[in-house]
Amino acid sequence: DDGTDCRVSAAFNYRRPVVETFPTVVICEEDTYRLGNRELRTSGTYRDTLKTRENCDSIVNLSLTVLGEISDTTTVKIFAGEIYDIGDYRLQQSGTYPLTLTSSIGCDSALLLNLEYYEVYIPTAFSPNGDGINDRFTVAGGEDLVEVLELRIYDRWGNALANGPEWDGRRHQEPLAPGAYVYVARLLMADGKERQFTGGVMLLR
């Protein structure tokens, strides 16, 4: 009790503790990551047994991702006349562009961008004269166009005349006079995006 005596325990097997860790590391393509005596440069899962300062085993299961090893390919669609911004690039013409982008951790990554135009056609004139040809004004398109959600028609003074997926040149069943009218079209595209357009259309008799 006075601290001068000691006790002897029963014999037991002592094992040094083993510490196991699962780090996840992301590096740039031109960088290396050192694990033990190895310098790693490719993505993968690596396992190594290291020693701690207390000479205990430390097992490291490393998940290493090297950005920029693989070039991504993506397809984006825009309407003619629009500009697509990505990184430091501003693209307007359809085509295939090999781009180099900088990630959030400062790595350069390669991207092959396919820029395409939506297949949408909005006529500039129509003739609702009952001949079965070009009698209704609407938006036409290929597979890119899912639905015409709204097509609002106005006269030159801003008075609302019609609202629907198409227009037959009437207001309250009464034929309107030939001339220029304004439309606002809201479209649902196949990529889930809604787009709105305004323009003019000529009504011909």
Side-chain angles (χ1 to χ4, degrees):
D1 294 335
D2 59 2
T4 59
D5 58 345
C6 60
R7 299 178 182 180
V8 178
S9 68
F12 65 94
N13 293 324
Y14 172 73
R15 292 184 179 180
R16 292 183 182 273
V18 176
V19 178
E20 192 166 1
T21 58
F22 301 85
T24 298
V25 176
V26 179
I27 63 173
C28 299
E29 185 177 15
E30 65 274 11
D31 295 336
T32 60
Y33 185 82
R34 189 172 186 83
L35 180 64
N37 296 323
R38 292 182 292 174
E39 291 189 349
L40 307 177
R41 294 182 174 85
T42 57
S43 299
T45 301
Y46 299 90
R47 182 182 176 91
D48 204 344
T49 301
L50 310 176
K51 293 291 185 180
T52 67
R53 288 181 298 180
E54 292 78 17
N55 205 34
C56 298
D57 287 339
S58 174
I59 299 176
V60 178
N61 296 280
L62 172 69
S63 176
L64 180 65
T65 300
V66 181
L67 295 182
E69 288 183 316
I70 301 175
S71 296
D72 290 329
T73 301
T74 188
T75 298
V76 175
K77 292 191 176 184
I78 62 173
F79 286 95
E82 287 186 331
I83 295 176
Y84 181 72
D85 292 311
I86 180 170
D88 295 328
Y89 301 92
R90 289 174 58 83
L91 307 174
Q92 190 171 11
Q93 300 296 323
S94 63
T96 301
Y97 298 89
L99 308 178
T100 300
L101 306 176
T102 302
S103 70
S104 59
I105 64 172
C107 300
D108 288 337
S109 59
L111 174 67
L112 187 63
L113 176 69
N114 297 316
L115 189 62
E116 301 176 357
Y117 289 144
Y118 287 115
E119 295 180 16
V120 170
Y121 172 68
I122 303 178
T124 58
F126 75 121
S127 56
N129 53 17
D131 64 356
I133 301 174
N134 204 24
D135 280 333
R136 293 178 179 271
F137 171 66
T138 189
V139 180
E143 296 180 354
D144 294 332
L145 178 61
V146 175
E147 184 181 358
V148 180
L149 298 173
E150 194 173 35
L151 183 61
R152 301 193 304 273
I153 308 297
Y154 301 88
D155 62 19
R156 67 182 66 184
W157 298 280
N159 298 311
L161 304 177
N163 185 5
E166 59 182 16
W167 183 41
D168 61 1
R170 298 171 181 265
R171 182 186 188 191
H172 303 312
Q173 304 303 319
E174 293 296 325
L176 291 172
Y181 295 87
V182 176
Y183 67 83
V184 177
R186 188 163 59 93
L187 313 178
L188 176 62
M189 310 309 297
D191 55 13
K193 296 179 181 178
E194 291 187 14
R195 298 298 185 96
Q196 180 169 295
F197 294 90
T198 60
V201 59
M202 287 294 299
L203 190 159
L204 307 174
R205 294 290 184 188

